[in-house]
Amino acid sequence: MEVTAEPLGLLRGRTSMKWRSYPSDVLPLFIAEMDYPLAEPVAEALHDAVRRNDTGYAAPANDLGEAFAEFAGTRWGWRVDPDHVASTTDVSVAIVETLRGLILPGDRVVITPPVYPPFFDLVAEAGGRVEAVPLLHGQTGWTLDLEALERAFLTGTRFILLCNPHNPIGHPHGIEDLTALAELAARHGVTVISDEVHAPLTQAGAAFTPYLSVSPEAAEHGVCVTSASKAWNLAGLKCALIVTASERMRRVVTALPQEVSWRTGQFGLIAGVAAYRHGQPWLEGVLTALDSNRRLLAALLDAQLPGVGYSPPEASFLAWLDLRSLGWGDDPSVAALERARVALSPGPMFGAPGAGFARLNFACSPEVLAEAVSRLAAAV
């Protein structure tokens, strides 16, 4: 089915952070919210809940585990046991609480910048210390720095927070890298927490591999945290999944405080079940629109800002732009906002490798995307 972004005038009537953070002359292409209308099965499920006044607490016994297992099996051939699926508020809470259930105060947790900025704070919130092991970037693209990871593990680091597909570069980590990581983790007693929230947004020409499906070693020591929030634009409804594939890790999750699961949003749960069970036609339409936009962005940059570095992402709706050629300093998002009235996510927030970069959200109409690039070019 065809999915198109809503008109800018209609979007400005939304009250979410994307549309309330800047004046109306700014094009907000920063936070990871999409400009598409809700999937009809999701909207109908929410309307039905309101009609029956179903606004109480989310029930611990629900259909979310089965719905996700069905989706994961169809989408990725991943066999998920519904009894190994727990829920909570959002992916960030899932990360913090899982880490908190495992680490001792001051334990080091590896993250791989440039990476989703909250990772830095989530590790600290859980009582850990960040150990940055940047991704490698070469002619073949992005990869995990396996040698540096092993050095970190050899010095006592016992946790890694993986982002797969990786935000902000839109890279689904390859099965070779994931298998090697699982082997290292098993050898050194490392727990892997894999944030896979962007996985459903992997394009047809690329392959997403769930970490827990890679090997028995990955299943034994890994935890997946995910949600329907990014793929179906449901962040405000508050429901995320914590998925395990071994009894050892399941015990870790079931030992978390009861309040972790009680924080699940009722509407988020209802919407998530509807998305996983009935939202795939809409998702395919969104992927088609995003594929067109990621290619359009490349053409627009080539024509108007040829010095800007950009590789179309294989997953998500986020573009990682190398703006160093523009001379706009370590945080070019400042100049983009002040001179072009385009709001981008600041590159330095993603870690030291983000200096001179910015992240752009292209889950918008082609017209808005074209206007944003024209504004940036005019500001140079």
Side-chain angles (χ1 to χ4, degrees):
M1 64 179 294
E2 183 178 5
V3 178
T4 58
E6 293 185 312
L8 195 56
L10 189 60
L11 290 166
R12 293 202 183 277
R14 294 185 181 181
T15 62
S16 62
M17 184 174 178
K18 181 174 184 177
W19 300 101
R20 287 295 177 93
S21 295
Y22 296 99
S24 60
D25 65 326
V26 173
L27 294 179
L29 303 184
F30 65 115
I31 198 167
E33 295 180 23
M34 297 194 288
D35 292 353
Y36 306 113
L38 278 178
E40 184 57 35
V42 173
E44 190 57 34
L46 293 170
H47 286 306
D48 284 347
V50 171
R51 282 191 286 266
R52 64 176 179 264
N53 303 306
D54 194 2
T55 56
Y57 293 106
N62 56 66
D63 293 337
L64 186 61
E66 289 187 1
F68 178 72
E70 293 163 6
F71 178 82
T74 301
R75 198 83 182 172
W76 306 304
W78 176 24
R79 296 182 63 183
V80 173
D81 182 345
D83 290 337
H84 280 250
V85 178
S87 67
T88 188
T89 315
D90 55 37
V91 165
S92 291
V93 170
I95 291 170
V96 168
E97 296 299 340
T98 302
L99 276 176
R100 210 193 311 265
L102 288 164
I103 69 175
L104 296 175
D107 278 350
R108 288 173 292 161
V109 181
V110 166
I111 63 173
T112 53
V115 73
Y116 181 53
F119 275 17
F120 294 88
D121 296 328
L122 299 177
V123 169
E125 184 181 345
R129 291 187 295 127
V130 166
E131 179 160 354
V133 178
L135 295 179
L136 296 176
H137 188 216
Q139 292 184 343
T140 58
W142 296 91
T143 58
L144 296 170
D145 189 340
L146 295 167
E147 292 183 1
L149 287 174
E150 183 162 32
R151 287 195 296 271
F153 299 157
L154 283 168
T155 60
T157 299
R158 292 292 175 264
F159 305 93
I160 176 172
L161 183 48
L162 183 69
C163 196
N164 181 37
H166 198 93
N167 175 3
I169 59 176
H171 170 64
H173 292 294
I175 191 168
E176 297 84 2
D177 270 6
L178 295 177
T179 302
L181 173 61
E183 291 172 353
L184 286 177
R187 188 182 313 150
H188 298 288
V190 171
T191 298
V192 179
I193 300 175
S194 184
D195 175 353
E196 301 181 358
V197 71
H198 288 277
L201 293 168
T202 302
Q203 288 289 340
F208 165 73
T209 303
Y211 178 74
L212 297 183
S213 73
V214 164
S215 66
E217 292 81 6
E220 179 64 21
H221 60 242
V223 177
C224 165
V225 294
T226 190
S227 172
S229 59
K230 288 294 182 282
W232 285 274
N233 216 38
L234 306 174
L237 299 182
K238 296 300 178 184
C239 179
L241 293 73
I242 309 174
V243 185
T244 57
S246 70
E247 286 304 318
R248 170 175 173 262
M249 298 314 297
R250 185 187 184 189
R251 286 195 296 271
V252 170
V253 174
T254 55
L256 296 177
Q258 188 178 34
E259 281 301 317
V260 174
S261 62
W262 276 105
R263 293 171 189 152
T264 304
Q266 169 75 332
F267 278 5
L269 193 154
I270 290 169
V273 171
Y276 288 131
R277 283 192 167 154
H278 309 296
Q280 292 201 55
W282 181 91
L283 178 61
E284 295 304 327
V286 164
L287 284 167
T288 298
L290 295 178
D291 181 36
S292 178
N293 272 7
R294 66 177 180 155
R295 297 172 189 275
L296 173 61
L297 179 58
L300 292 168
L301 292 173
D302 284 345
Q304 300 178 52
L305 288 166
V308 170
Y310 162 67
S311 296
E314 295 178 302
S316 87
F317 46 82
L318 305 168
W320 188 233
L321 303 180
D322 182 352
L323 302 174
R324 289 174 292 182
S325 66
L326 303 185
W328 285 359
D330 285 348
D331 186 0
S333 72
V334 174
L337 181 60
E338 292 178 350
R339 303 182 192 180
R341 308 305 285 164
V342 176
L344 305 175
S345 295
M349 291 178 59
F350 296 81
F357 287 72
R359 193 189 73 178
L360 179 149
N361 174 351
F362 58 83
C364 57
S365 70
E367 294 78 15
V368 166
L369 188 58
E371 172 66 15
V373 174
S374 294
R375 290 188 186 191
L376 292 171
V380 174

